[in-house]
Amino acid sequence: MSQAIVHANQPLHDLDEWDDFLAGRYKEGKSESEFRQYDATATPGVAEFYRQNHENMTVEYVLGKEKEYFSLNKGQKSIWEAAEFLNTLVDDSDPDTDLTQIEHLLQTSEAMRQDEQPRWMVFTGFVHDLGKCLCLYGEPQWSVVGDTFPVGCAWSRDIVFPEYFEKNPDRDVAEYQTKFGIYEPNCGLENVHMSFGHDGYIAEVMKPYLRDESLYMLRFHSFYPWHKHGAYDYLCNDKDRSMLEWVLRFNQYDLYSKGHSKPDVKELKSYYDELFAEFVPPTLAW
């Protein structure tokens, strides 16, 4: 699915280019020899995206964005209203797709429902990308999507395109370049400042209402250095390790739920009305 978004001058043609990159890079069951190489020549748009992300994602930037957005001062919206708001990312002139963002969210949640996953997980599947509305608040792509990672400690070599951290100003802060940085060993990921993006934002929106398994899925589904490569285990505690299986279960749907069938929103609406009412109030702070 290819959907044009409002920031046409950004390195990714659209946010679904990012999804396609993820599905290719992290596909399960590939041997090392089959692993696709992702470099600046093979994927120039993605490489430029990561150059911007890695050069600008500093501790100062993250703390500032957390203060700006985690206070949830963007108004009250229902889940449907938030999804309709996200729909405005779509350019109706795009000839490549007629799928709306709501239909894309439904592909993920309906795949979970078909596999008889718990209702709370189906709900999580529907809402997990709603944080991409950050683009509509004026945030650039590099501050909305992308593999996430801790800030304030040494960058792992398992972060995609790690060479682009060379020009990040935090490289000149000695404490940030140590293994633990500003954190304590095994402090727990809930106490770690992650690179800013849609994952952390939607987790904050849903924090008052959802169980820990859901919140881990939301906050850490793009933390591929951890759940794909095992990086940063020294910051994890027992809770993080117990939640890892849920993040991995979630990601198989996040990466591979896109299908050719178009969900019938009208037919499904009554089910999702009941599902939303089960977990959240009529409106939420965003």
Side-chain angles (χ1 to χ4, degrees):
M1 184 177 67
S2 175
Q3 294 182 342
I5 70 165
V6 290
H7 294 284
N9 61 339
Q10 297 299 316
L12 302 181
H13 176 261
D14 52 61
L15 290 189
D16 283 327
E17 184 181 346
W18 161 249
D19 291 333
D20 293 340
F21 169 76
L22 286 181
R25 181 173 179 81
Y26 297 115
K27 184 176 181 180
E28 298 293 340
K30 292 188 297 185
S31 67
E32 192 67 26
S33 62
E34 294 174 312
F35 190 83
R36 289 177 60 190
Q37 298 300 308
Y38 290 92
D39 56 29
T41 301
T43 53
V46 173
E48 173 59 17
F49 163 87
Y50 270 115
R51 183 192 67 78
Q52 295 180 21
N53 176 277
H54 291 357
E55 289 183 6
N56 292 289
M57 195 65 71
T58 64
V59 171
E60 181 181 15
Y61 180 84
V62 168
L63 294 180
K65 290 301 175 182
E66 288 179 352
K67 182 177 180 181
E68 180 179 357
Y69 287 105
F70 289 4
S71 58
L72 305 180
N73 58 6
K74 297 297 182 180
Q76 293 278 327
K77 293 185 183 68
S78 70
I79 299 297
W80 286 121
E81 287 170 339
E84 290 286 359
F85 182 55
L86 191 64
N87 267 355
T88 63
L89 281 172
V90 178
D91 180 352
D92 290 336
S93 67
D94 182 2
D96 296 329
T97 184
D98 60 355
L99 282 174
T100 66
Q101 289 287 340
I102 289 178
E103 289 163 342
H104 175 47
L105 296 173
L106 284 170
Q107 285 184 330
T108 303
S109 57
E110 281 296 288
M112 294 176 175
R113 184 183 174 197
Q114 182 177 353
D115 286 351
E116 299 183 342
Q117 296 293 354
R119 284 172 64 85
W120 58 263
M121 187 170 170
V122 177
F123 176 86
T124 305
F126 186 92
V127 304
H128 81 280
D129 270 350
L130 291 181
K132 290 180 180 178
C133 66
L134 287 166
C135 284
L136 296 166
Y137 300 152
E139 295 301 322
Q141 289 178 5
W142 63 262
S143 188
V144 176
V145 297
D147 288 20
T148 59
F149 49 87
V151 297
C153 62
W155 300 294
S156 169
R157 296 299 297 178
D158 289 316
I159 302 171
V160 65
F161 292 107
E163 62 271 22
Y164 290 135
F165 286 115
E166 290 294 331
K167 294 184 179 180
N168 186 303
D170 283 355
R171 183 167 291 282
D172 298 326
V173 181
E175 183 182 20
Y176 298 166
Q177 298 307 306
T178 62
K179 180 178 180 179
F180 297 104
I182 62 177
Y183 310 109
E184 296 294 328
N186 306 116
C187 62
L189 294 179
E190 291 172 301
N191 297 308
V192 170
H193 295 282
M194 299 295 295
S195 54
F196 184 73
H198 74 283
D199 315 60
Y201 176 55
I202 191 61
E204 288 297 315
V205 172
M206 296 296 164
K207 185 183 289 186
Y209 312 110
L210 299 185
R211 59 199 293 158
D212 285 340
E213 291 88 346
S214 288
L215 296 176
Y216 267 75
M217 291 173 177
L218 295 176
R219 189 173 186 221
F220 300 115
H221 68 269
S222 299
F223 189 11
Y224 287 93
W226 174 53
H227 59 69
K228 182 67 176 178
H229 301 291
Y232 297 104
D233 182 69
Y234 45 82
L235 296 178
C236 296
N237 57 23
D238 289 342
K239 179 180 179 180
D240 300 325
R241 298 182 185 108
S242 70
M243 291 290 162
L244 178 57
E245 65 175 286
W246 289 104
V247 178
L248 293 172
R249 185 184 297 190
F250 173 85
N251 270 72
Q252 64 180 310
Y253 295 100
D254 188 28
L255 292 180
Y256 309 122
S257 63
K258 290 183 181 180
H260 298 293
S261 60
K262 183 176 180 178
D264 188 330
V265 179
K266 290 183 179 179
E267 180 181 329
L268 295 171
K269 189 175 185 301
S270 61
Y271 170 84
Y272 282 91
D273 283 341
E274 293 181 4
L275 186 71
F276 299 164
E278 181 177 343
F279 295 103
V280 295
T283 64
L284 301 83
W286 292 82

